[in-house]
Amino acid sequence: MATLSCQFHLAIHRLPCKARVRPCFSCSVQPSQSNIKVVINGAAKEIGRAAVIAVTKARGMEVAGAVDSYCVGEDIGKVCDMEEPLEIPIMNDLTMVLGSISQSKETGVVVDFTQPSAVYDNVKQATAFGLRSVVYVPRITVDTISALSAFCEKASMGCLVAPTLSIGSILLQQAAISASFHYNNVEIVESRAHATDLPSPDAIQIANNLSNLGQIYNREDLSTDVSARGQVLGEDGVRVHSMVLPGLPSSTTVYFSGPGEVYTIKHDITDVQCLMPGLLLAIRKVARLKHLVYGLEKFL
């Protein structure tokens, strides 16, 4: 695919009077920038289907493969209820999909929505075929991240591990860090519709961010054993309260207090679509990386 670039020049020479001035056109053919080829690993999940639609609509990228153990053989476009099929069948063999993409010699990115135990091998496979990786898998261990970082550094291949793809969640975390230098009391309250993974990865990330900043929070009842006071995360007194009720939106609120005032930061998630702007940003950024980056906030 190539684009035709034309330039207009007004050529003026010393000519006798009454001579005409003739414009000059010059044209050149320049190669157009190819789309990023994106493979969605975990394509049949809710977030995977949303990612397929988002990548299909985005400029500069296209879905090139879909991997999952469910709906194998079905067209990913139909699985996502798109108006037109994408003519891309869901496959349960990541290696086969990567092999077909790598032959195109174009920039490729694998988006990983799988399981913590599979992430390291998935990134190794993607790297072996010359593709970079965006990993959005909750509760990846520190050991796995360290191993991935060393591997990517040696291979000079980019990988972005994102604890969250929600830009709103990242902004909340950044605001909480700024507030922590001004307040001595902090509590995290989260609500979820289902009792899974509590405290949530978002709450754990916020607590980790607020720890080790030289601040001890909630000194008045730091050592209390009352269960209703919530779970303490870390050693700096940050408490988390998790509320579970069917129908509740996924919500995270951080309360800070000081003499005579309460400062509240809140973020609600009502749909998986909120993760798509962050995902598209991650795909574009990782395409230029040659090492591992932890956290999408590095690019905001």
Side-chain angles (χ1 to χ4, degrees), residues 40-45 47-49 52 65-68 76 79-80 90 113:
I40 308 296
N41 192 1
K45 297 181 178 181
I47 187 173
R49 298 193 303 271
V52 168
V67 181
D68 209 299
I76 186 58
V79 172
C80 297
I90 297 176
F113 296 133

Side-chain angles (χ1 to χ4, degrees), residues 163-207:
T164 181
L165 290 171
S166 166
I167 293 177
S169 178
I170 294 172
L171 295 176
L172 180 146
Q173 293 178 24
Q174 292 175 342
I177 292 173
S178 297
S180 68
F181 295 103
H182 305 283
Y183 297 98
N184 296 324
N185 299 286
V186 59
E187 306 268 339
I188 301 171
V189 179
E190 61 178 357
S191 65
R192 298 291 185 271
H194 306 285
T196 57
D197 291 336
L198 297 177
S200 70
D202 285 346
I204 294 173
Q205 184 67 38
I206 294 169

Side-chain angles (χ1 to χ4, degrees), residues 160 167 276-286 296 299-300:
L160 198 161
I167 293 177
M276 296 304 107
L279 174 64
L280 299 180
L281 176 63
I283 292 171
R284 292 188 173 102
K285 294 300 182 180
V286 79
L296 185 60
F299 303 105
L300 293 184

